[in-house]
Amino acid sequence: MAQKAPLVIPAVKKHTATVIMAHGLGDSGAGWVTLAQNWRLRQKFEEVKFVFPNAPTIPITVNMGMQMPGWYDITQFQDLQGGQDEVGILRSRDYFHSLIKSEIDAGIPSGRIVLGGFSQGGAMSIFAGITSPFKLGGIFGLSSYLLLHNKMKELLPSENPNKSTPIFMGHGDSDPLVLPQWGQKTAEILKSEGWSVDLKMYKGLQHSADPDEIDDLEKYLNERVPPVDKATSVWTIDSFTASLALHEPEKPEQARKSTAVEEAAYELNEVRK
């Protein structure tokens, strides 16, 4: 399986926290790097290193078996809890855990690491987050859902270190692909098992993100990884601008739009109605 290295946006000041943000099906890490760019230009999260991993290229059943970036295979869109690719999900879980371990090995306390993502990446982040053997600072999922919920208890670490880790979820109430009730059911299941989940629904939002949701995510991250270092910036504006140029996103609009395969699936579902 072909898989690119993560796209990394370094901290501007002393590196004290890391946010790992996973993309959705058919996208890439570059599709969400505008988040970090926007926060950098507004002088937000200057101590945070942002990691945007890239999913491996794998055959996707709903895409007629054609290969595309995906954290796991999707066999059908009607019920995302049905026919789940357990092997692919567990493989990606291990990869997410390795990203967390790399940050810990680099000296970042696990409690200063936040794992999150959008759609398929959000589903993986929630699953990898609650099953992480390391205590995380936060877990978030946008337009996402719970994976392997029937096996959740047996896959949790015995000490369950993230039982008290607050989880943020954002979901459009008009999402035609990852249905709103799937997000609501995810929050319901997690809450019933003792997790603290803040689910926010956004009126009229389909399978994408919008400014209000990103603002709420920003508030969540401010709470989970507040600044701790008062040192002056180790970068000049010129060096920061040059760094952003090196990480020019391939698809800057991906952060606000569903991917092509998701849109095609939506159109197919509409035809079937």
Side-chain angles (χ1 to χ4, degrees), residues 2-273:
Q3 185 170 7
K4 297 179 181 178
L7 178 60
V8 175
I9 303 297
V12 177
K13 296 183 177 180
K14 181 181 178 182
H15 178 204
T16 70
T18 297
V19 172
I20 301 169
M21 172 73 191
H23 64 78
L25 179 66
D27 200 357
S28 69
W32 282 88
V33 76
T34 49
L35 272 182
Q37 291 177 342
N38 178 268
W39 284 327
R40 284 286 182 269
L41 294 173
R42 294 169 52 224
Q43 297 182 308
K44 301 289 186 180
F45 307 120
E46 294 183 307
E47 299 176 21
V48 176
K49 168 185 173 182
F50 290 92
V51 178
F52 299 92
N54 289 293
T57 299
I58 61 173
I60 301 296
T61 300
V62 295
N63 198 31
M64 298 181 291
M66 295 180 63
Q67 297 208 359
M68 64 192 312
W71 298 112
Y72 49 87
D73 187 20
I74 294 181
T75 59
Q76 44 81 30
F77 279 107
Q78 286 70 35
D79 178 10
L80 293 182
Q81 288 292 347
Q84 293 189 19
D85 174 19
E86 182 174 345
V87 172
I89 291 168
L90 294 180
R91 180 186 62 239
S92 289
R93 176 205 61 180
D94 292 345
Y95 175 64
F96 280 38
H97 288 175
S98 75
L99 293 176
I100 295 168
K101 180 66 162 53
S102 293
E103 294 305 305
I104 295 171
D105 290 346
I108 302 303
S110 66
R112 296 278 294 171
I113 299 172
V114 176
L115 177 63
F118 173 79
S119 193
Q120 198 187 54
M124 270 308 316
S125 294
I126 292 174
F127 178 72
I130 65 175
T131 61
S132 171
F134 312 106
K135 169 65 176 174
L136 300 175
I139 302 166
F140 68 88
L142 310 180
S143 303
S144 55
Y145 53 98
L146 185 60
L147 295 167
L148 302 180
H149 72 281
N150 291 328
K151 293 189 174 183
M152 182 175 67
K153 291 183 179 179
E154 66 184 78
L155 293 170
L156 291 173
S158 57
E159 65 278 15
N160 201 357
N162 287 290
K163 193 62 174 285
S164 61
T165 302
I167 300 172
F168 172 76
M169 295 182 64
H171 214 115
D173 69 0
S174 299
D175 193 329
L177 185 62
V178 181
L179 301 180
Q181 53 265 38
W182 295 346
Q184 292 166 336
K185 185 64 176 178
T186 293
E188 179 184 319
I189 292 173
L190 291 172
K191 286 180 179 179
S192 71
E193 295 296 330
W195 275 277
S196 172
V197 182
D198 180 14
L199 170 63
K200 294 188 182 298
M201 304 296 294
Y202 299 92
K203 186 173 179 59
L205 180 62
Q206 298 192 16
H207 194 62
S208 59
D210 74 1
D212 288 340
E213 185 177 32
I214 299 304
D215 285 347
D216 287 334
L217 175 60
E218 180 179 316
K219 293 174 185 175
Y220 172 75
L221 293 178
N222 272 323
E223 293 173 355
R224 304 317 308 160
V225 285
V228 297
D229 185 71
K230 302 302 181 183
T232 57
S233 175
V234 297
W235 283 9
T236 65
I237 291 297
D238 288 342
S239 63
F240 170 61
T241 303
S243 173
L244 290 186
L246 290 174
H247 300 294
E248 183 79 22
E250 298 169 5
K251 301 175 183 177
E253 296 304 316
Q254 288 294 132
R256 296 291 182 268
K257 297 180 181 179
S258 55
T259 63
V261 69
E262 292 167 340
E263 292 173 350
Y266 172 46
E267 292 172 0
L268 178 61
N269 287 339
E270 289 295 299
V271 171
R272 289 173 175 171
K273 289 181 179 178

